[in-house]
């Protein structure tokens, strides 16, 4: 397959590029990406590939924290974005801590984690993930950001993997800082700023559940994540369904499953 058939991130991972340094590859991503959003997603995919190790896949999200608002600006997959957004709904978690405090945060096993309360760990673990490593980028005042790595394996990010991730974030920080600076001063920055100002569909759904059930934010997140787990439906889809139902019907008395058609089984 010709190289032109690959995305910029996929081309950066081709064996033919093994002679290039990480900085060379990131510069190529900047030059070959159509816009800021594509660059960030390609960077996340490339980062996941670089950090996976041992032939396994890893999930990667890039969190940007600016003016006290957090947003996943790049993700290697929808699952990576969803588990990042769990933290934003709870207003706590390793990626937020890493970005806000500019320090490395390691979660060896989510089943043994309680630093952010039981809701965060159980919600992320329900996605089949077990370990997390979040590392801050050095953006020198442009904003704060963190690289978030997730794995299905417990104790995935040992000291060797963490050291590789530290070196990688140091190398990538300058390119990311420049990309953010240019984007915030370009027309494409309007979309980024609008996204930073608006709540995600999950945030909206959490607010709906809080209002309907008169419960805390933590309880609302737990209700949604349990519904996601019990129905084997992505958290974002559960949230979208709830928000759409409120838009269509006005106000629901409480969060519940949509009524089934007569004669139709739950499994159907």
């Amino acid at each position: 397959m010709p190289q032109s058939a690959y995305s910029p991130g996929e081309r950066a991972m081709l064996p033919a590029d093994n002679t290039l340094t990480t900085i060379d590859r990131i510069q190529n991503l900047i030059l070959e990406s159509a816009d800021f959003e594509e660059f960030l997603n390609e960077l996340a995919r490339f980062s996941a590939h670089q950090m996976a190790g041992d032939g396994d896949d890893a999930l990667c999200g890039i969190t940007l924290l600016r003016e006290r608002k957090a947003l996943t600006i790049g993700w290697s997959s929808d699952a990576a974005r969803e588990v990042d957004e769990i933290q934003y709904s709870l207003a706590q978690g390793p990626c937020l801590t890493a970005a806000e405090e500019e320090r490395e945060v390691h979660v060896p096993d989510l089943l043994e984690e309680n630093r952010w309360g039981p809701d965060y760990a159980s919600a992320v673990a329900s996605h089949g993930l077990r370990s997390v490593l979040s590392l801050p980028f050095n953006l020198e005042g442009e904003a704060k950001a963190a690289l978030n790595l997730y794995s299905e394996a417990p104790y995935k990010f040992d000291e060797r993997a963490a050291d590789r991730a530290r070196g990688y974030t140091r190398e990538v920080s300058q390119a990311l800082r420049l990309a953010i600076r240019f984007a915030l001063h370009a027309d494409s920055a309007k979309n980024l700023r609008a996204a930073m100002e608006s709540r995600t569909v999950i945030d909206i759904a959490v607010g709906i559940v809080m209002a309907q059930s008169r419960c805390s934010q933590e309880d609302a997140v737990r209700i949604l994540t349990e519904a996601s787990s019990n129905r084997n439906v992505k958290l974002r889809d559960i949230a979208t369904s709830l928000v759409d139902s409120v838009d269509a019907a006005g106000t629901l008395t409480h969060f519940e499953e949509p009524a089934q058609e007569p004669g139709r089984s739950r499994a159907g």
Side-chain angles (χ1 to χ4, degrees), residues 71-242:
L71 179 73
T72 296
I73 55 174
W75 51 88
S76 62
S77 65
D78 287 340
R81 179 175 59 178
E82 288 171 9
V83 291
D84 274 358
E85 289 178 345
I86 289 171
Q87 300 181 65
Y88 309 153
S89 296
L90 290 171
Q92 60 180 353
C95 78
L96 292 178
T97 299
E100 289 173 348
E101 301 181 12
E102 297 183 289
R103 64 180 177 88
E104 179 181 320
V105 180
H106 182 210
V107 181
D109 189 350
L110 282 162
L111 299 187
E112 301 172 356
E113 180 57 56
N114 60 11
R115 275 176 286 182
W116 301 279
D119 292 333
Y120 165 73
S122 61
V124 176
S126 71
H127 284 256
L129 301 172
R130 292 287 297 275
S131 54
V132 185
L133 179 64
S134 295
L135 304 100
F137 289 104
N138 178 16
L139 302 184
E140 296 185 4
E142 294 297 330
K144 291 184 177 181
L147 179 74
N148 314 308
L149 301 170
Y150 303 92
S151 175
E152 296 178 355
Y155 298 94
K156 171 67 177 180
F157 304 109
D158 56 17
E159 185 56 33
R160 181 179 178 184
D163 189 60
R164 185 169 68 249
R166 293 180 198 117
Y168 178 78
T169 53
R170 283 195 298 269
E171 290 184 295
V172 172
S173 287
Q174 182 176 8
L176 182 60
R177 183 172 73 249
L178 290 173
I180 290 174
R181 176 181 294 179
F182 292 144
L184 291 175
H185 291 83
D187 289 340
S188 61
K190 294 179 181 178
N191 294 329
L192 176 62
R193 287 195 293 268
M196 293 290 286
E197 292 297 330
S198 65
R199 295 187 299 171
T200 66
V201 67
I202 294 176
D203 294 326
I204 297 171
V206 168
I208 291 171
V209 174
M210 289 173 64
Q212 293 172 351
S213 302
R214 297 183 180 179
C215 63
S216 67
Q217 183 182 57
E218 291 78 5
D219 287 340
V221 171
R222 184 170 61 252
I223 289 170
L224 289 172
T225 55
E226 286 178 353
S228 171
S229 178
N230 292 338
R231 302 183 202 177
N232 195 26
V233 176
K234 291 181 178 180
L235 180 62
R236 173 172 288 274
D237 292 340
I238 287 285
T240 299
S241 176
L242 175 59

Side-chain angles (χ1 to χ4, degrees), residues 9 12-13 22 26 29 39-53 56-62 74-76 137 146-150 157 164-165 168-169 172 176:
M13 293 181 275
T22 298
I26 298 303
L29 288 183
F39 163 68
L40 291 168
N41 286 329
E42 295 294 350
L43 177 61
R45 282 190 281 271
F46 177 68
S47 301
H49 175 79
Q50 291 293 97
M51 295 298 105
D56 296 329
D57 288 333
L59 302 184
C60 175
I62 299 173
W75 51 88
S76 62
F137 289 104
L147 179 74
N148 314 308
L149 301 170
Y150 303 92
F157 304 109
R164 185 169 68 249
Y168 178 78
T169 53
V172 172
L176 182 60

